[in-house]
Amino acid sequence: MGYQKYRAVQELSQSTAEVSEIVFFLLGAMTIVEIVDSHQGFKLVTDNISTRNPKTLLWVIGFVTFFLSSVLDNLTSTIVMVSLLRKLVPPSEYRKLLGAVVVIAANAGGAWTPIGDVTTTMLWIHGQITTLKIMQGLFVPSVVSLMVPLALMSLTSEANGSSQTSSSLLSSEQMAPRGQLVFAVGLGALVFVPVFKSLTGLPPFMGMLLGLGILWILTDAIHYGESGRQRLKVPQALSRIDTQGILFFLGILLSVGSLEAAGILRQLANYLDANIPNADLIASIIGVASAIIDNVPLVAATMGMYDLTSFPQDSDFWQLVAFCAGTGGSMLIIGSAAGVAFMGMEKVDFFWYFRKVSGFALAGYVAGIITYLAGQNIPLSLPTSLADIPFITGS
């Protein structure tokens, strides 16, 4: 009895420590993004979108969101881009379609960097993936999973209609004092985290909190003595971030931890291995399931089912799980935080998204998986084989 109690306490301590790393990481990241947003720092990105052609705007919005989401989390990227769309395009079917592009692009962009999505961050913190390998392995599949839906959407009547855009609203919000500096330091702090981890070997949340500390000192120095600018400082930003979402992750991850400690996830893994012999297929099924179930518990459960002895660090399985869980959520509007945010902001209903967008998102998802598997199974040895090409060697 005493041993079981000791083991339970040990398991709880270990789970709490692992989950806390993710929670502190998210707290730091969300606060940095909130500070940049309160200084209107993202206007640097959004003010440079000047195209008025509906089809071009579709592609521009897609790729701006894709790269924004690779540094910010999907939810923040979606909120920033949908807010921009409200200023660029009047309410219409076309604006809804652009919003759907933002959701697909945010989920695809988050999949290929360790800081772009909660699920990839979890896999990175726990050592299943490393920064350079995940970026090398998933960049092209992520681009494909965005380009296929964009190409198909470009053919729809909404994208080919005439679009009346309203640019008068764009200049209404002014950037806060030193907004550009805050944007540069905030973005630098986020990008610095993987570098910090590889240089020091310390956990990523410490790098994120270090970045937040630097930004805190900077914003306090900029706004010192200005009583009207309290909302631009870190204490106020901390009160505005999505604490409910973070507590949700805390509860979910501890629940999954208890299932893992009880051995239930191991049994599920054995069952899947016995009935589905192909690991790639298991990862693809996880992605489809993430369209219905939240991808955080799914990935946490997968990490509990398969340890690093089953699939070593940076194996195809972990990369495919990161890709599928990230992009699979685009297939239904309820499948990702980005989709739910878009649903709330633009009052889009489940069935409109299902009719108009789910098919495109599924096509992108399948194309991305095929691209990834093709890339892994066809070894690309370009640098060594270039000399064999006749016109380069001159033969």
Side-chain angles (χ1 to χ4, degrees):
M1 183 70 187
Y3 172 72
Q4 284 180 327
K5 188 177 175 185
Y6 167 75
R7 188 155 172 263
V9 171
Q10 208 175 21
E11 292 279 2
L12 180 63
S13 303
Q14 190 181 341
S15 287
T16 311
E18 287 176 3
V19 171
S20 300
E21 285 193 22
I22 295 166
V23 168
F24 281 124
F25 183 92
L26 291 174
L27 269 172
M30 285 176 162
T31 311
I32 289 173
V33 169
E34 178 58 44
I35 289 279
V36 174
D37 197 29
S38 64
H39 284 78
Q40 300 297 333
F42 296 115
K43 276 174 73 69
L44 283 173
V45 178
T46 55
D47 282 0
N48 288 314
I49 299 176
S50 55
T51 180
R52 293 291 175 266
N53 179 314
K55 203 178 281 190
T56 313
L57 191 61
L58 197 76
W59 284 83
V60 170
I61 292 287
F63 276 96
V64 168
T65 310
F66 180 82
F67 286 106
L68 198 63
S69 173
S70 66
V71 181
L72 312 181
D73 65 285
N74 305 353
L75 187 59
T76 308
S77 310
T78 305
I79 292 167
V80 168
M81 294 307 290
V82 171
S83 304
L84 161 79
L85 289 180
R86 288 176 168 177
K87 298 165 192 171
L88 275 178
V89 184
S92 59
E93 279 287 296
Y94 174 61
R95 187 165 93 180
K96 283 185 183 177
L97 197 69
L98 282 174
V101 166
V102 167
V103 172
I104 293 172
N107 287 331
W112 64 277
T113 64
I115 57 171
D117 189 318
V118 179
T119 50
T120 42
T121 301
M122 282 161 51
L123 289 165
W124 177 55
I125 287 174
H126 286 162
Q128 273 84 357
I129 56 174
T130 55
T131 306
L132 286 176
K133 283 280 194 291
I134 193 84
M135 290 170 80
Q136 282 172 348
L138 294 189
F139 178 69
V140 174
S142 298
V143 170
V144 168
S145 75
L146 170 63
M147 285 180 71
V148 169
L150 281 180
L152 294 171
M153 284 179 178
S154 300
L155 306 173
T156 60
S157 55
E158 286 94 340
N160 291 301
S162 60
S163 152
Q164 339 82 35
T165 53
S166 50
S167 55
S168 56
L169 289 162
L170 270 176
S171 54
S172 60
E173 291 174 328
Q174 289 303 309
M175 191 179 277
R178 300 278 191 279
Q180 292 183 331
L181 177 64
V182 171
F183 174 77
V185 173
L187 211 59
L190 293 168
V191 175
F192 171 69
V193 175
V195 181
F196 173 87
K197 181 178 186 278
S198 61
L199 286 177
T200 62
L202 291 169
F205 80 91
M206 292 185 76
M208 190 61 84
L209 293 179
L210 173 67
L212 177 59
I214 292 166
L215 198 61
W216 193 327
I217 294 166
L218 178 74
T219 49
D220 270 19
I222 291 170
H223 307 304
Y224 180 73
E226 300 282 348
S227 56
R229 295 192 198 159
Q230 288 303 316
R231 57 176 292 278
L232 299 176
K233 294 183 178 180
V234 171
Q236 288 277 319
L238 274 165
S239 68
R240 289 196 301 271
I241 61 171
D242 180 20
T243 321
Q244 288 178 328
I246 289 176
L247 290 173
F248 166 75
F249 291 141
L250 178 67
I252 284 287
L253 294 170
L254 281 174
S255 305
V256 172
S258 65
L259 290 175
E260 184 185 349
I264 292 168
L265 296 182
R266 187 69 253 169
Q267 290 173 359
L268 182 58
N270 293 338
Y271 175 79
L272 284 174
D273 288 341
N275 293 283
I276 306 170
N278 188 332
D280 297 336
L281 195 56
I282 292 174
S284 305
I285 290 167
I286 287 165
V288 174
S290 80
I292 305 157
I293 306 166
D294 189 85
N295 57 0
V296 172
L298 262 179
V299 171
T302 310
M303 284 157 59
M305 281 157 54
Y306 301 103
D307 53 20
L308 289 170
T309 51
S310 312
F311 297 103
Q313 188 179 58
D314 286 324
S315 64
D316 292 359
F317 177 75
W318 293 121
Q319 293 198 357
L320 204 53
V321 164
F323 174 78
C324 293
T327 54
S330 303
M331 287 187 272
L332 294 177
I333 199 165
I334 57 168
S336 65
V340 173
F342 167 56
M343 194 180 188
M345 289 174 80
E346 287 291 282
K347 304 292 177 277
V348 174
D349 65 82
F350 176 89
F351 291 105
W352 177 89
Y353 190 94
F354 186 74
R355 281 198 323 273
K356 298 272 187 177
V357 184
S358 292
F360 300 144
L362 175 63
Y365 176 71
V366 173
I369 292 176
I370 291 168
T371 307
Y372 178 76
L373 294 176
Q376 297 306 308
N377 296 325
I378 304 165
L380 296 174
S381 50
L382 283 178
T384 54
S385 59
L386 280 177
D388 303 332
I389 301 173
F391 60 81
I392 287 184
T393 54
S395 55

